[in-house]
Amino acid sequence: MIRGNQVYWTDRYPTAETGPVTPTPLLTPSTLDLDGVLRAAEVVARHLPATPSWSYPVLDRRVGGRVVVKHENVQPTGAFKVRGGVNLAASLTPSEVRRGLVTASTGNHAQSTAYAARLAGTRAVVVMPTSAPAVKRDAVAALGAEVVVHGPDLGASAAHARELAERDGLRWVSPGDDPAIVLGHATLHLELFRVHPDLEVLFVPIGSGTSAAGACLVRDALAPDCRVVGVQSAAAPAAHDSWRSGSLVSADCRTRVAGLATCAGYALPQSVLAAGLDDFVLVTDDQIDAAARVLATDAHTLAEGAGAASLAALLARPAAPAVSAIVVSGGNASLEELASLARG
Ligand SMILES: *Cc1c(COP(=O)(O)O)cnc(C)c1O
């Protein structure tokens, strides 16, 4: 819900995990505004250096315009989501720290929640489906979280995680509907726009939409003429469909691109994207793979699929903007994924 550029947040919003519920009156005004982002940036800067954003002449020539590449693949967890985790850790109440965190995820959100718990000196329980590869369980366990394997898919894991939250009083960490996470993710765009206030278009990969929502908040304040364009895989268009229809909808999620495989829209980021996002484009998984190859050759960068989606959208345009930016949001690609890129 948006009034001016203040977003009002209630924890009674429907979420992708719970499905639609009846909206209740607004509870707490949140700080989803630039001040909130600036406070999050102070927290994040205490733990993580700013990531580089620069251009590569070979890529610029291929695209036909200058492309600023924002490198979140160099984060300690391999993706920007650690920013949300760091900010979340700082926003926990003493009682939440006593009780611990719980979430369900196989990917970068799981690592970010584990990182947050370690930083806050509390426990994290991460529920993963039986299909999650051992390497993903190991990455989360290495950060000190307890991995619970439950259910055939992420929906079943999330339901179990909610039960654990209820039973053990753990703090549920939603991958999309948490203001501390949106503000933490927004710090990546604050770094970008501070160094490059002249951007015409910023392409942001979207799963739940937290990062793109953060981009809109910062753009409004620092670079109002820049267009923010969201990018999703056509094989998992729930956020796209939600944005286009102005309501939270579910959709197929058959994409190979794990970081973008959300199956329903998330209320909090969508409430910002509704007015903030300038366009939302879909690209195919094959276009994303092709973009990942371009990043490897032109930008010496190994991205996971989600991290290559922004470039896929830029390459799909008939004409390139004079100055645009892409977010290489993560680099957690498995050896199999890298091998298939090399073969392609
Ligand atoms: C989570 C994720 C995304 C999508 O971000 P949202 O904030 O969920 O929209 C994109 N890329 C990577 C690498 C991710 O881990």
Side-chain angles (χ1 to χ4, degrees):
M1 223 150 299
I2 300 174
R3 302 212 187 117
N5 67 356
Q6 267 266 318
V7 175
Y8 288 79
W9 153 257
T10 146
D11 64 8
R12 297 266 179 264
Y13 274 136
T15 68
E17 294 87 20
T18 59
V21 297
T22 319
T24 54
L26 299 178
L27 300 177
T28 343
S30 87
T31 46
L32 274 196
D33 56 15
L34 190 71
D35 284 347
V37 181
L38 294 173
R39 277 193 298 276
E42 280 173 27
V43 172
V44 170
R46 285 203 288 273
H47 299 278
L48 303 166
T51 59
S53 52
W54 49 44
S55 300
Y56 300 87
V58 184
L59 180 61
D60 291 352
R61 188 183 306 159
R62 183 195 294 270
V63 166
R66 194 155 77 85
V67 185
V68 174
V69 181
K70 177 66 170 163
H71 279 289
E72 291 297 300
N73 55 306
V74 300
Q75 292 285 11
T77 57
F80 73 91
K81 287 206 178 70
V82 68
R83 295 173 183 270
V86 166
N87 196 43
L88 176 77
S91 75
L92 296 174
T93 64
S95 105
E96 287 171 336
V97 171
R98 264 196 312 281
R99 288 173 293 150
L101 312 179
V102 64
T103 196
S105 163
T106 58
N108 294 326
H109 175 66
Q111 289 200 47
S112 163
T113 303
Y115 195 96
R118 197 176 66 171
L119 207 56
T122 187
R123 65 189 283 236
V125 178
V126 176
V127 187
M128 291 191 187
T130 48
S131 56
V135 55
K136 302 220 166 176
R137 298 204 296 267
D138 292 349
V140 171
L143 284 161
E146 302 154 45
V147 176
V148 174
V149 178
H150 185 102
D153 56 36
L154 208 52
S157 302
H160 185 62
R162 294 287 209 162
E163 280 164 26
L164 295 181
E166 191 82 7
R167 191 192 75 190
D168 301 340
L170 301 168
R171 156 76 142 83
W172 163 249
V173 185
S174 166
D177 285 330
D178 194 309
I181 287 182
V182 174
L183 293 173
H185 292 173
T187 64
L188 109 75
H189 304 287
L190 185 68
E191 288 173 14
L192 177 65
F193 280 119
R194 276 180 167 165
V195 183
H196 303 280
D198 56 342
L199 296 175
E200 285 173 28
V201 186
L202 166 60
F203 294 90
V204 188
I206 293 188
S208 66
T210 54
S211 165
C216 295
L217 295 174
V218 177
R219 181 276 318 272
D220 289 351
L222 266 59
D225 294 336
C226 178
R227 289 166 57 77
V228 177
V229 176
V231 186
Q232 235 185 353
S233 164
H240 167 273
D241 293 358
S242 297
W243 184 74
R244 296 244 174 243
S245 67
S247 59
L248 296 180
V249 300
S250 305
D252 275 353
C253 42
R254 298 180 206 280
T255 175
R256 296 191 293 274
V257 181
L260 304 182
T262 41
C263 309
Y266 282 82
L268 180 63
Q270 287 286 342
S271 72
V272 178
L273 298 178
L277 197 65
D278 295 283
D279 198 5
F280 202 145
V281 298
L282 296 174
V283 290
T284 65
D285 284 8
D286 288 346
Q287 285 176 301
I288 291 174
D289 285 349
R293 285 187 194 99
V294 170
L295 283 172
T297 55
D298 293 8
H300 329 297
T301 298
L302 293 181
E304 62 184 283
S310 327
L311 179 58
L314 174 56
L315 291 171
R317 303 239 306 202
V323 199
S324 57
I326 59 173
V327 182
V328 177
S329 50
N332 281 323
S334 67
L335 275 181
E336 289 76 19
E337 287 166 305
L338 295 177
S340 89
L341 288 185
R343 276 197 305 272

